[in-house]
mmCIF file of all heavy atoms in Angstrom:
data_model
loop_
_atom_site.group_PDB
_atom_site.id
_atom_site.type_symbol
_atom_site.label_atom_id
_atom_site.label_comp_id
_atom_site.label_asym_id
_atom_site.label_seq_id
_atom_site.Cartn_x
_atom_site.Cartn_y
_atom_site.Cartn_z
ATOM 1 N N ALA A 1 0.813 -1.227 -0.010
ATOM 2 C CA ALA A 1 -0.022 -0.009 0.005
ATOM 3 C C ALA A 1 0.856 1.254 0.004
ATOM 4 O O ALA A 1 0.527 2.253 0.644
ATOM 5 C CB ALA A 1 -0.973 -0.019 1.169
ATOM 6 N N GLU A 2 1.948 1.223 -0.763
ATOM 7 C CA GLU A 2 2.826 2.379 -0.846
ATOM 8 C C GLU A 2 2.781 3.116 -2.210
ATOM 9 O O GLU A 2 3.413 4.137 -2.372
ATOM 10 C CB GLU A 2 4.272 1.955 -0.574
ATOM 11 C CG GLU A 2 4.450 1.479 0.848
ATOM 12 C CD GLU A 2 5.871 0.981 1.149
ATOM 13 O OE1 GLU A 2 6.692 0.846 0.233
ATOM 14 O OE2 GLU A 2 6.186 0.769 2.352
ATOM 15 N N HIS A 3 2.008 2.571 -3.142
ATOM 16 C CA HIS A 3 1.889 3.199 -4.481
ATOM 17 C C HIS A 3 3.284 3.452 -5.128
ATOM 18 O O HIS A 3 3.488 4.492 -5.756
ATOM 19 C CB HIS A 3 1.062 4.498 -4.417
ATOM 20 C CG HIS A 3 -0.374 4.298 -4.000
ATOM 21 N ND1 HIS A 3 -1.255 5.317 -4.038
ATOM 22 C CD2 HIS A 3 -1.029 3.232 -3.561
ATOM 23 C CE1 HIS A 3 -2.454 4.855 -3.631
ATOM 24 N NE2 HIS A 3 -2.320 3.581 -3.309
ATOM 25 N N ASP A 4 4.144 2.460 -5.029
ATOM 26 C CA ASP A 4 5.500 2.604 -5.532
ATOM 27 C C ASP A 4 5.744 1.855 -6.848
ATOM 28 O O ASP A 4 6.862 1.869 -7.339
ATOM 29 C CB ASP A 4 6.520 2.176 -4.483
ATOM 30 C CG ASP A 4 6.382 0.751 -4.019
ATOM 31 O OD1 ASP A 4 5.348 0.092 -4.400
ATOM 32 O OD2 ASP A 4 7.226 0.252 -3.298
ATOM 33 N N PHE A 5 4.721 1.222 -7.389
ATOM 34 C CA PHE A 5 4.855 0.497 -8.637
ATOM 35 C C PHE A 5 3.503 0.537 -9.347
ATOM 36 O O PHE A 5 2.440 0.504 -8.686
ATOM 37 C CB PHE A 5 5.269 -0.957 -8.363
ATOM 38 C CG PHE A 5 5.377 -1.778 -9.645
ATOM 39 C CD1 PHE A 5 6.571 -1.791 -10.334
ATOM 40 C CD2 PHE A 5 4.313 -2.499 -10.108
ATOM 41 C CE1 PHE A 5 6.699 -2.533 -11.488
ATOM 42 C CE2 PHE A 5 4.455 -3.249 -11.274
ATOM 43 C CZ PHE A 5 5.606 -3.243 -11.968
ATOM 44 N N GLY A 6 3.528 0.573 -10.644
ATOM 45 C CA GLY A 6 2.268 0.525 -11.422
ATOM 46 C C GLY A 6 2.538 0.030 -12.821
ATOM 47 O O GLY A 6 3.679 0.105 -13.315
ATOM 48 N N SER A 7 1.505 -0.466 -13.443
ATOM 49 C CA SER A 7 1.571 -0.849 -14.821
ATOM 50 C C SER A 7 0.324 -0.487 -15.557
ATOM 51 O O SER A 7 -0.770 -0.402 -14.947
ATOM 52 C CB SER A 7 1.837 -2.353 -14.947
ATOM 53 O OG SER A 7 0.732 -3.103 -14.516
ATOM 54 N N PHE A 8 0.462 -0.267 -16.851
ATOM 55 C CA PHE A 8 -0.696 0.076 -17.651
ATOM 56 C C PHE A 8 -0.344 -0.147 -19.131
ATOM 57 O O PHE A 8 0.846 -0.266 -19.482
ATOM 58 C CB PHE A 8 -1.125 1.576 -17.424
ATOM 59 C CG PHE A 8 -0.062 2.547 -17.697
ATOM 60 C CD1 PHE A 8 0.140 3.130 -18.979
ATOM 61 C CD2 PHE A 8 0.847 2.941 -16.709
ATOM 62 C CE1 PHE A 8 1.124 4.063 -19.213
ATOM 63 C CE2 PHE A 8 1.856 3.835 -16.930
ATOM 64 C CZ PHE A 8 1.978 4.417 -18.206
ATOM 65 N N GLU A 9 -1.338 -0.159 -19.960
ATOM 66 C CA GLU A 9 -1.138 -0.245 -21.393
ATOM 67 C C GLU A 9 -1.544 1.036 -22.055
ATOM 68 O O GLU A 9 -2.512 1.672 -21.670
ATOM 69 C CB GLU A 9 -1.932 -1.432 -21.957
ATOM 70 C CG GLU A 9 -1.384 -2.768 -21.503
ATOM 71 C CD GLU A 9 -2.002 -3.965 -22.168
ATOM 72 O OE1 GLU A 9 -2.602 -3.826 -23.240
ATOM 73 O OE2 GLU A 9 -1.882 -5.056 -21.590
ATOM 74 N N PHE A 10 -0.724 1.438 -23.041
ATOM 75 C CA PHE A 10 -1.015 2.646 -23.804
ATOM 76 C C PHE A 10 -0.366 2.508 -25.176
ATOM 77 O O PHE A 10 0.749 1.998 -25.307
ATOM 78 C CB PHE A 10 -0.468 3.863 -23.089
ATOM 79 C CG PHE A 10 -0.757 5.139 -23.797
ATOM 80 C CD1 PHE A 10 -2.006 5.710 -23.761
ATOM 81 C CD2 PHE A 10 0.232 5.744 -24.513
ATOM 82 C CE1 PHE A 10 -2.282 6.889 -24.448
ATOM 83 C CE2 PHE A 10 -0.028 6.929 -25.209
ATOM 84 C CZ PHE A 10 -1.299 7.484 -25.175
ATOM 85 N N ALA A 11 -1.096 2.929 -26.188
ATOM 86 C CA ALA A 11 -0.608 2.882 -27.561
ATOM 87 C C ALA A 11 -0.094 1.509 -27.957
ATOM 88 O O ALA A 11 0.936 1.395 -28.675
ATOM 89 C CB ALA A 11 0.465 3.949 -27.753
ATOM 90 N N GLY A 12 -0.772 0.469 -27.477
ATOM 91 C CA GLY A 12 -0.401 -0.876 -27.804
ATOM 92 C C GLY A 12 0.824 -1.421 -27.124
ATOM 93 O O GLY A 12 1.325 -2.482 -27.505
ATOM 94 N N ARG A 13 1.311 -0.712 -26.094
ATOM 95 C CA ARG A 13 2.523 -1.128 -25.359
ATOM 96 C C ARG A 13 2.173 -1.224 -23.881
ATOM 97 O O ARG A 13 1.317 -0.500 -23.388
ATOM 98 C CB ARG A 13 3.640 -0.103 -25.530
ATOM 99 C CG ARG A 13 3.999 0.301 -26.967
ATOM 100 C CD ARG A 13 4.732 -0.714 -27.782
ATOM 101 N NE ARG A 13 6.031 -1.087 -27.323
ATOM 102 C CZ ARG A 13 7.161 -0.542 -27.811
ATOM 103 N NH1 ARG A 13 7.167 0.486 -28.638
ATOM 104 N NH2 ARG A 13 8.352 -0.968 -27.339
ATOM 105 N N LYS A 14 2.918 -2.070 -23.177
ATOM 106 C CA LYS A 14 2.751 -2.147 -21.711
ATOM 107 C C LYS A 14 3.897 -1.410 -21.082
ATOM 108 O O LYS A 14 5.067 -1.533 -21.475
ATOM 109 C CB LYS A 14 2.770 -3.609 -21.253
ATOM 110 C CG LYS A 14 2.505 -3.758 -19.759
ATOM 111 C CD LYS A 14 2.049 -5.067 -19.389
ATOM 112 C CE LYS A 14 1.630 -5.017 -17.941
ATOM 113 N NZ LYS A 14 0.713 -6.081 -17.585
ATOM 114 N N PHE A 15 3.531 -0.595 -20.076
ATOM 115 C CA PHE A 15 4.491 0.266 -19.396
ATOM 116 C C PHE A 15 4.451 -0.089 -17.907
ATOM 117 O O PHE A 15 3.439 -0.474 -17.349
ATOM 118 C CB PHE A 15 4.118 1.737 -19.527
ATOM 119 C CG PHE A 15 4.259 2.269 -20.917
ATOM 120 C CD1 PHE A 15 3.233 2.142 -21.855
ATOM 121 C CD2 PHE A 15 5.432 2.866 -21.351
ATOM 122 C CE1 PHE A 15 3.346 2.603 -23.136
ATOM 123 C CE2 PHE A 15 5.583 3.347 -22.612
ATOM 124 C CZ PHE A 15 4.501 3.185 -23.524
ATOM 125 N N PHE A 16 5.604 0.105 -17.263
ATOM 126 C CA PHE A 16 5.751 0.004 -15.808
ATOM 127 C C PHE A 16 6.364 1.330 -15.330
ATOM 128 O O PHE A 16 7.036 2.025 -16.010
ATOM 129 C CB PHE A 16 6.759 -1.101 -15.349
ATOM 130 C CG PHE A 16 6.329 -2.524 -15.663
ATOM 131 C CD1 PHE A 16 7.279 -3.471 -15.814
ATOM 132 C CD2 PHE A 16 5.012 -2.886 -15.758
ATOM 133 C CE1 PHE A 16 6.962 -4.790 -16.059
ATOM 134 C CE2 PHE A 16 4.663 -4.209 -15.973
ATOM 135 C CZ PHE A 16 5.631 -5.158 -16.115
ATOM 136 N N PHE A 17 6.040 1.647 -14.063
ATOM 137 C CA PHE A 17 6.780 2.691 -13.365
ATOM 138 C C PHE A 17 7.100 2.158 -11.985
ATOM 139 O O PHE A 17 6.389 1.299 -11.425
ATOM 140 C CB PHE A 17 6.021 3.992 -13.278
ATOM 141 C CG PHE A 17 4.909 4.057 -12.284
ATOM 142 C CD1 PHE A 17 5.192 4.339 -10.926
ATOM 143 C CD2 PHE A 17 3.624 3.787 -12.638
ATOM 144 C CE1 PHE A 17 4.166 4.347 -10.032
ATOM 145 C CE2 PHE A 17 2.602 3.837 -11.731
ATOM 146 C CZ PHE A 17 2.859 4.089 -10.395
ATOM 147 N N LYS A 18 8.174 2.618 -11.419
ATOM 148 C CA LYS A 18 8.532 2.235 -10.064
ATOM 149 C C LYS A 18 9.234 3.415 -9.382
ATOM 150 O O LYS A 18 9.817 4.254 -10.032
ATOM 151 C CB LYS A 18 9.404 0.991 -10.010
ATOM 152 C CG LYS A 18 10.772 1.113 -10.670
ATOM 153 C CD LYS A 18 11.416 -0.203 -10.857
ATOM 154 C CE LYS A 18 12.578 -0.589 -10.113
ATOM 155 N NZ LYS A 18 13.452 -0.123 -9.280
ATOM 156 N N ILE A 19 9.059 3.441 -8.090
ATOM 157 C CA ILE A 19 9.667 4.494 -7.264
ATOM 158 C C ILE A 19 10.685 3.783 -6.344
ATOM 159 O O ILE A 19 10.337 2.877 -5.613
ATOM 160 C CB ILE A 19 8.661 5.314 -6.470
ATOM 161 C CG1 ILE A 19 7.704 6.048 -7.400
ATOM 162 C CG2 ILE A 19 9.388 6.299 -5.525
ATOM 163 C CD1 ILE A 19 6.537 6.768 -6.691
ATOM 164 N N ASP A 20 11.912 4.235 -6.377
ATOM 165 C CA ASP A 20 12.956 3.764 -5.519
ATOM 166 C C ASP A 20 13.342 4.829 -4.507
ATOM 167 O O ASP A 20 13.130 6.046 -4.800
ATOM 168 C CB ASP A 20 14.193 3.313 -6.320
ATOM 169 C CG ASP A 20 13.908 2.105 -7.188
ATOM 170 O OD1 ASP A 20 13.551 1.077 -6.609
ATOM 171 O OD2 ASP A 20 14.069 2.189 -8.403
ATOM 172 N N TYR A 21 13.897 4.444 -3.394
ATOM 173 C CA TYR A 21 14.206 5.364 -2.312
ATOM 174 C C TYR A 21 15.741 5.367 -2.079
ATOM 175 O O TYR A 21 16.295 4.311 -1.699
ATOM 176 C CB TYR A 21 13.499 4.991 -1.037
ATOM 177 C CG TYR A 21 12.046 4.625 -1.236
ATOM 178 C CD1 TYR A 21 11.609 3.303 -1.139
ATOM 179 C CD2 TYR A 21 11.098 5.639 -1.567
ATOM 180 C CE1 TYR A 21 10.294 3.004 -1.337
ATOM 181 C CE2 TYR A 21 9.800 5.304 -1.754
ATOM 182 C CZ TYR A 21 9.369 3.981 -1.650
ATOM 183 O OH TYR A 21 8.036 3.667 -1.850
ATOM 184 N N PHE A 22 16.366 6.473 -2.242
ATOM 185 C CA PHE A 22 17.808 6.607 -1.997
ATOM 186 C C PHE A 22 18.053 7.604 -0.854
ATOM 187 O O PHE A 22 17.178 8.419 -0.548
ATOM 188 C CB PHE A 22 18.518 7.075 -3.245
ATOM 189 C CG PHE A 22 18.504 6.072 -4.375
ATOM 190 C CD1 PHE A 22 17.479 6.110 -5.303
ATOM 191 C CD2 PHE A 22 19.477 5.113 -4.475
ATOM 192 C CE1 PHE A 22 17.440 5.179 -6.332
ATOM 193 C CE2 PHE A 22 19.460 4.158 -5.482
ATOM 194 C CZ PHE A 22 18.405 4.193 -6.425
ATOM 195 N N ASP A 23 19.244 7.495 -0.273
ATOM 196 C CA ASP A 23 19.594 8.518 0.726
ATOM 197 C C ASP A 23 19.780 9.853 0.044
ATOM 198 O O ASP A 23 19.723 9.942 -1.174
ATOM 199 C CB ASP A 23 20.861 8.085 1.531
ATOM 200 C CG ASP A 23 22.096 8.028 0.660
ATOM 201 O OD1 ASP A 23 22.082 8.302 -0.529
ATOM 202 O OD2 ASP A 23 23.156 7.711 1.223
ATOM 203 N N ALA A 24 19.921 10.896 0.785
ATOM 204 C CA ALA A 24 20.031 12.265 0.233
ATOM 205 C C ALA A 24 21.201 12.411 -0.705
ATOM 206 O O ALA A 24 21.114 13.185 -1.666
ATOM 207 C CB ALA A 24 20.088 13.297 1.367
ATOM 208 N N ALA A 25 22.287 11.705 -0.468
ATOM 209 C CA ALA A 25 23.458 11.757 -1.325
ATOM 210 C C ALA A 25 23.366 10.877 -2.552
ATOM 211 O O ALA A 25 24.274 10.881 -3.393
ATOM 212 C CB ALA A 25 24.720 11.424 -0.510
ATOM 213 N N MET A 26 22.313 10.094 -2.681
ATOM 214 C CA MET A 26 22.096 9.178 -3.794
ATOM 215 C C MET A 26 23.203 8.125 -3.867
ATOM 216 O O MET A 26 23.569 7.675 -4.924
ATOM 217 C CB MET A 26 21.999 9.928 -5.131
ATOM 218 C CG MET A 26 20.857 10.847 -5.263
ATOM 219 S SD MET A 26 19.309 10.015 -5.589
ATOM 220 C CE MET A 26 19.593 9.292 -7.201
ATOM 221 N N GLU A 27 23.700 7.694 -2.681
ATOM 222 C CA GLU A 27 24.735 6.690 -2.663
ATOM 223 C C GLU A 27 24.199 5.325 -2.197
ATOM 224 O O GLU A 27 24.713 4.260 -2.605
ATOM 225 C CB GLU A 27 25.859 7.108 -1.708
ATOM 226 C CG GLU A 27 26.639 8.284 -2.269
ATOM 227 C CD GLU A 27 27.727 8.745 -1.304
ATOM 228 O OE1 GLU A 27 28.023 8.039 -0.350
ATOM 229 O OE2 GLU A 27 28.349 9.795 -1.539
ATOM 230 N N PHE A 28 23.187 5.350 -1.328
ATOM 231 C CA PHE A 28 22.661 4.108 -0.724
ATOM 232 C C PHE A 28 21.166 4.210 -0.704
ATOM 233 O O PHE A 28 20.581 5.224 -0.953
ATOM 234 C CB PHE A 28 23.190 3.944 0.718
ATOM 235 C CG PHE A 28 24.711 3.931 0.793
ATOM 236 C CD1 PHE A 28 25.386 5.094 1.231
ATOM 237 C CD2 PHE A 28 25.449 2.863 0.404
ATOM 238 C CE1 PHE A 28 26.768 5.101 1.293
ATOM 239 C CE2 PHE A 28 26.855 2.862 0.474
ATOM 240 C CZ PHE A 28 27.477 3.984 0.930
ATOM 241 N N GLY A 29 20.528 3.091 -0.301
ATOM 242 C CA GLY A 29 19.082 3.133 -0.073
ATOM 243 C C GLY A 29 18.762 3.999 1.155
ATOM 244 O O GLY A 29 19.545 4.136 2.049
ATOM 245 N N SER A 30 17.582 4.595 1.128
ATOM 246 C CA SER A 30 17.140 5.424 2.225
ATOM 247 C C SER A 30 16.890 4.570 3.449
ATOM 248 O O SER A 30 16.264 3.484 3.362
ATOM 249 C CB SER A 30 15.874 6.144 1.877
ATOM 250 O OG SER A 30 15.363 6.876 2.995
ATOM 251 N N GLU A 31 17.307 5.049 4.574
ATOM 252 C CA GLU A 31 17.030 4.321 5.847
ATOM 253 C C GLU A 31 15.581 4.519 6.293
ATOM 254 O O GLU A 31 15.054 3.742 7.099
ATOM 255 C CB GLU A 31 17.997 4.698 6.945
ATOM 256 C CG GLU A 31 17.880 6.139 7.359
ATOM 257 C CD GLU A 31 18.981 6.530 8.357
ATOM 258 O OE1 GLU A 31 20.142 6.258 8.072
ATOM 259 O OE2 GLU A 31 18.622 7.077 9.434
ATOM 260 N N ASP A 32 14.941 5.543 5.793
ATOM 261 C CA ASP A 32 13.522 5.793 6.160
ATOM 262 C C ASP A 32 12.757 6.558 5.053
ATOM 263 O O ASP A 32 12.737 7.781 5.003
ATOM 264 C CB ASP A 32 13.469 6.679 7.451
ATOM 265 C CG ASP A 32 12.030 6.880 7.969
ATOM 266 O OD1 ASP A 32 11.079 6.325 7.369
ATOM 267 O OD2 ASP A 32 11.910 7.600 8.952
ATOM 268 N N PRO A 33 12.153 5.799 4.113
ATOM 269 C CA PRO A 33 11.428 6.425 3.017
ATOM 270 C C PRO A 33 10.256 7.304 3.453
ATOM 271 O O PRO A 33 9.765 8.080 2.638
ATOM 272 C CB PRO A 33 10.922 5.256 2.169
ATOM 273 C CG PRO A 33 11.791 4.103 2.558
ATOM 274 C CD PRO A 33 12.193 4.367 3.997
ATOM 275 N N ALA A 34 9.852 7.227 4.682
ATOM 276 C CA ALA A 34 8.771 8.076 5.185
ATOM 277 C C ALA A 34 9.276 9.472 5.594
ATOM 278 O O ALA A 34 8.492 10.347 5.866
ATOM 279 C CB ALA A 34 8.049 7.416 6.366
ATOM 280 N N ASP A 35 10.602 9.615 5.597
ATOM 281 C CA ASP A 35 11.169 10.907 5.981
ATOM 282 C C ASP A 35 11.836 11.589 4.746
ATOM 283 O O ASP A 35 12.883 11.194 4.288
ATOM 284 C CB ASP A 35 12.292 10.647 7.050
ATOM 285 C CG ASP A 35 12.895 11.970 7.587
ATOM 286 O OD1 ASP A 35 12.647 13.048 6.989
ATOM 287 O OD2 ASP A 35 13.593 11.869 8.592
ATOM 288 N N PRO A 36 11.144 12.664 4.249
ATOM 289 C CA PRO A 36 11.658 13.263 3.007
ATOM 290 C C PRO A 36 13.019 13.904 3.224
ATOM 291 O O PRO A 36 13.750 14.093 2.240
ATOM 292 C CB PRO A 36 10.598 14.311 2.681
ATOM 293 C CG PRO A 36 9.671 14.393 3.825
ATOM 294 C CD PRO A 36 9.899 13.218 4.698
ATOM 295 N N ALA A 37 13.413 14.232 4.418
ATOM 296 C CA ALA A 37 14.738 14.826 4.658
ATOM 297 C C ALA A 37 15.856 13.797 4.483
ATOM 298 O O ALA A 37 16.988 14.134 4.244
ATOM 299 C CB ALA A 37 14.815 15.404 6.055
ATOM 300 N N LYS A 38 15.522 12.500 4.608
ATOM 301 C CA LYS A 38 16.470 11.431 4.499
ATOM 302 C C LYS A 38 16.365 10.685 3.167
ATOM 303 O O LYS A 38 17.043 9.683 2.975
ATOM 304 C CB LYS A 38 16.272 10.436 5.635
ATOM 305 C CG LYS A 38 16.579 10.978 6.986
ATOM 306 C CD LYS A 38 16.374 9.887 8.026
ATOM 307 C CE LYS A 38 16.678 10.386 9.416
ATOM 308 N NZ LYS A 38 16.426 9.343 10.435
ATOM 309 N N THR A 39 15.450 11.115 2.293
ATOM 310 C CA THR A 39 15.127 10.326 1.113
ATOM 311 C C THR A 39 15.098 11.141 -0.172
ATOM 312 O O THR A 39 14.470 12.195 -0.185
ATOM 313 C CB THR A 39 13.747 9.635 1.315
ATOM 314 O OG1 THR A 39 13.764 8.879 2.541
ATOM 315 C CG2 THR A 39 13.407 8.719 0.159
ATOM 316 N N THR A 40 15.704 10.627 -1.195
ATOM 317 C CA THR A 40 15.523 11.095 -2.561
ATOM 318 C C THR A 40 14.747 10.060 -3.328
ATOM 319 O O THR A 40 15.198 8.910 -3.446
ATOM 320 C CB THR A 40 16.879 11.360 -3.263
ATOM 321 O OG1 THR A 40 17.610 12.331 -2.516
ATOM 322 C CG2 THR A 40 16.667 11.841 -4.674
ATOM 323 N N ARG A 41 13.576 10.423 -3.804
ATOM 324 C CA ARG A 41 12.732 9.482 -4.574
ATOM 325 C C ARG A 41 13.155 9.551 -6.022
ATOM 326 O O ARG A 41 13.394 10.640 -6.603
ATOM 327 C CB ARG A 41 11.281 9.887 -4.446
ATOM 328 C CG ARG A 41 10.696 9.468 -3.111
ATOM 329 C CD ARG A 41 9.239 9.917 -2.891
ATOM 330 N NE ARG A 41 8.669 9.043 -1.862
ATOM 331 C CZ ARG A 41 9.067 9.035 -0.638
ATOM 332 N NH1 ARG A 41 9.969 9.833 -0.199
ATOM 333 N NH2 ARG A 41 8.510 8.211 0.263
ATOM 334 N N VAL A 42 13.186 8.373 -6.650
ATOM 335 C CA VAL A 42 13.501 8.263 -8.082
ATOM 336 C C VAL A 42 12.394 7.460 -8.716
ATOM 337 O O VAL A 42 12.223 6.289 -8.380
ATOM 338 C CB VAL A 42 14.884 7.621 -8.305
ATOM 339 C CG1 VAL A 42 15.140 7.451 -9.847
ATOM 340 C CG2 VAL A 42 15.973 8.458 -7.676
ATOM 341 N N LEU A 43 11.665 8.095 -9.585
ATOM 342 C CA LEU A 43 10.606 7.426 -10.350
ATOM 343 C C LEU A 43 11.155 7.076 -11.729
ATOM 344 O O LEU A 43 11.652 7.925 -12.457
ATOM 345 C CB LEU A 43 9.411 8.368 -10.495
ATOM 346 C CG LEU A 43 8.192 7.775 -11.180
ATOM 347 C CD1 LEU A 43 6.916 8.380 -10.548
ATOM 348 C CD2 LEU A 43 8.171 8.011 -12.656
ATOM 349 N N THR A 44 11.084 5.813 -12.091
ATOM 350 C CA THR A 44 11.557 5.341 -13.384
ATOM 351 C C THR A 44 10.370 4.843 -14.174
ATOM 352 O O THR A 44 9.601 3.991 -13.699
ATOM 353 C CB THR A 44 12.578 4.230 -13.242
ATOM 354 O OG1 THR A 44 13.661 4.674 -12.394
ATOM 355 C CG2 THR A 44 13.127 3.800 -14.579
ATOM 356 N N ILE A 45 10.235 5.335 -15.409
ATOM 357 C CA ILE A 45 9.170 4.896 -16.326
ATOM 358 C C ILE A 45 9.855 4.059 -17.383
ATOM 359 O O ILE A 45 10.837 4.481 -17.982
ATOM 360 C CB ILE A 45 8.447 6.125 -16.965
ATOM 361 C CG1 ILE A 45 7.912 7.045 -15.863
ATOM 362 C CG2 ILE A 45 7.359 5.660 -17.917
ATOM 363 C CD1 ILE A 45 7.431 8.370 -16.353
#
């Protein structure tokens, strides 16, 4: 229930998106994705 992944079809193609959580420096995973001060969100389509 985090809305961090989705899929859909459009123009005859299937697409995915996902959201990953990195630390503020973008070096490691975030230790707390619920804290925006500690997290950089990356959405990939």
Side-chain angles (χ1 to χ4, degrees):
E2 293 178 349
H3 295 188
D4 60 351
F5 180 87
S7 67
F8 58 90
E9 291 188 19
F10 181 76
R13 309 286 295 266
K14 185 160 187 156
F15 293 87
F16 292 155
F17 76 84
K18 63 193 249 355
I19 298 174
D20 292 301
Y21 315 109
F22 293 91
D23 66 0
M26 296 284 296
E27 293 179 8
F28 305 103
S30 173
E31 64 185 53
D32 185 3
D35 184 348
K38 294 181 179 178
T39 305
T40 299
R41 283 177 159 65
V42 177
L43 183 148
T44 305
I45 303 169

